[in-house]
Amino acid sequence: MSTDIGMPPVLSPEEADKAVLLAAPRGYCAGVDRAVITVEKALDLYGAPVYVRKQIVHNKHVVADLESRGAIFVEELDEVPEGQTVVFSAHGVSPEVHRQAEERSLKTIDATCPLVTKVHHEAKRFAGEDYDILLIGHAGHEEVEGTAGEAPEHIQLVQGPADVAGIVVRDPQRVAWLSQTTLSVDETLETVAAIRERFPDLLDPPSDDICYATQNRQLAVKEIAQDSDLVIVVGSGNSSNSVRLVEVALEAGARSSYRVDDASEIDEAWLEGVRTVSVTSGASVPEELVRGVLAFLSERGYPDARAVHSAEESLIFALPPELRRDLKAAGRV
Ligand code: SF4
């Protein structure tokens, strides 16, 4: 389904030959929105500084903006002075991090996305039933570290089909799989198929671990990629779902696709001979950065964007209960 969002009344011959397609949905998901608002409200309520363990969401502009308002981002909790307030990022933390926070008497606000928390619960349940758990995801990603930390003795990481031959389990009939929330849907299906070939009794998670936002953004970019000479994905390099969008666009038929943090990173050479440019953004990307890319294209003779809708989203998550409680006590709700 497509919607015009303001075509210019008269197009030059050059403009008439070109098109800009804008994927919808794109940008902020419910988990990112909640995490960013959590830090903003914590700053408002408790005053600066508010410490945040890891990047609250994987976007350098969001992090820089919150830093300018008084948030201090740290890698580990030993960088947070005792007794201070620390927010855990949307990607989630392991029980060990909660234990460290308690040990240092830190006031914690957990902004873990509820859809990541759901995967943690699945990991605990499978581990409680003594399954070997194959966690499909990327080594070193914070979400994977947090989920694996729920049951380290039961969980092993599988990064793709190439890892499947090397999996060692205690009982091939008691194997379950889970995944990171921001993977490529198609690649994950391939990995699961390879695992199932080795372990036919493989147990599936009760519902999709790849979240609705990741799935919808991939669906949206697929819909426009095949008609695109160039797909520009706005998102940071450490944003898993943004990086996946470039891969999905290329697999879906885009002639070229690049990820940029903002318009300043667009290389003019990418536009040579390009008629149709598509634009999308990862789940941690503020819309103003997309507007910057559209303005960049407009200045180079591309017409107004035409939005192509492939799914509607209306999910909103409540703020973390510990923050809601303090906001209520302060009469701020
Ligand atoms: S991308 Fe998905 S799992 Fe991650 S914060 Fe957004 S909704 Fe939650």
Side-chain angles (χ1 to χ4, degrees), residues 1 5 52 64 68 73 112 135 145 203 206 208 210 228 268 288:
M1 180 174 55
I5 56 166
V52 183
S68 74
F73 291 87
T112 302
L135 175 59
E145 288 173 356
L203 191 61
D208 283 346
I210 298 179
S228 304
E268 304 252 2
E288 71 201 53

Side-chain angles (χ1 to χ4, degrees), residues 51-307:
Y51 290 83
V52 183
R53 183 183 178 276
K54 310 281 186 188
Q55 292 193 347
I56 184 72
V57 298
H58 285 157
N59 185 271
K60 72 177 196 183
H61 289 277
V62 173
V63 169
D65 179 53
L66 292 172
E67 264 174 345
S68 74
R69 301 195 211 179
I72 297 178
F73 291 87
V74 297
E75 279 305 300
E76 293 304 339
L77 292 187
D78 56 11
E79 298 166 58
V80 183
E82 289 211 6
Q84 291 289 310
T85 300
V86 62
V87 179
F88 294 147
S89 79
H91 308 101
V93 296
S94 68
E96 172 60 16
V97 174
H98 282 286
R99 196 196 57 72
Q100 288 167 6
E102 211 176 306
E103 200 174 270
R104 294 181 61 76
S105 306
L106 302 177
K107 177 181 173 59
T108 60
I109 300 172
D110 190 354
T112 302
C113 175
L115 299 181
V116 174
T117 302
K118 180 191 77 111
V119 183
H120 282 226
H121 289 321
E122 289 165 354
K124 279 189 278 193
R125 185 167 70 80
F126 285 149
E129 292 169 10
D130 207 26
Y131 278 86
D132 278 326
I133 302 165
L134 307 177
L135 175 59
I136 304 172
H138 298 293
H141 191 280
E142 285 140 50
E143 183 188 320
V144 162
E145 288 173 356
T147 305
E150 289 289 354
E153 66 292 354
H154 284 267
I155 294 181
Q156 54 187 300
L157 185 65
V158 178
Q159 298 202 70
D163 285 356
V164 173
I167 294 171
V168 177
V169 296
R170 293 167 300 159
D171 177 355
Q173 292 180 325
R174 290 192 75 75
V175 181
W177 72 276
L178 295 174
S179 86
Q180 194 178 325
T181 56
T182 51
L183 300 181
S184 151
V185 174
D186 295 340
E187 262 180 40
T188 304
L189 288 176
E190 268 175 51
T191 307
V192 172
I195 296 172
R196 182 156 277 122
E197 206 166 313
R198 266 205 70 191
F199 307 109
D201 292 324
L202 181 71
L203 191 61
D204 295 321
S207 59
D208 283 346
D209 286 342
I210 298 179
C211 75
Y212 81 99
T214 300
Q215 296 197 32
N216 285 347
R217 279 149 194 70
Q218 288 177 18
L219 196 70
V221 84
K222 267 187 193 175
E223 190 158 327
I224 51 180
Q226 58 192 351
D227 297 324
S228 304
D229 301 308
L230 167 67
V231 175
I232 296 175
V233 176
V234 188
S236 287
N238 61 345
S239 162
S240 172
N241 80 88
S242 302
V243 173
R244 301 288 84 75
L245 287 174
V246 172
E247 296 167 359
V248 170
L250 290 170
E251 279 160 21
R255 278 186 31 218
S256 62
S257 180
Y258 299 96
R259 180 200 55 76
V260 295
D261 256 295
D262 54 52
S264 71
E265 293 184 356
I266 299 174
D267 184 340
E268 304 252 2
W270 299 344
L271 298 174
E272 272 168 35
V274 164
R275 286 180 172 184
T276 302
V277 186
S278 289
V279 179
T280 188
S281 57
S284 48
V285 177
E287 188 61 8
E288 71 201 53
L289 299 175
V290 172
R291 284 198 292 272
V293 168
L294 298 180
F296 177 98
L297 293 171
S298 169
E299 284 157 19
R300 281 148 188 88
Y302 285 85
D304 286 351
R306 182 163 59 85

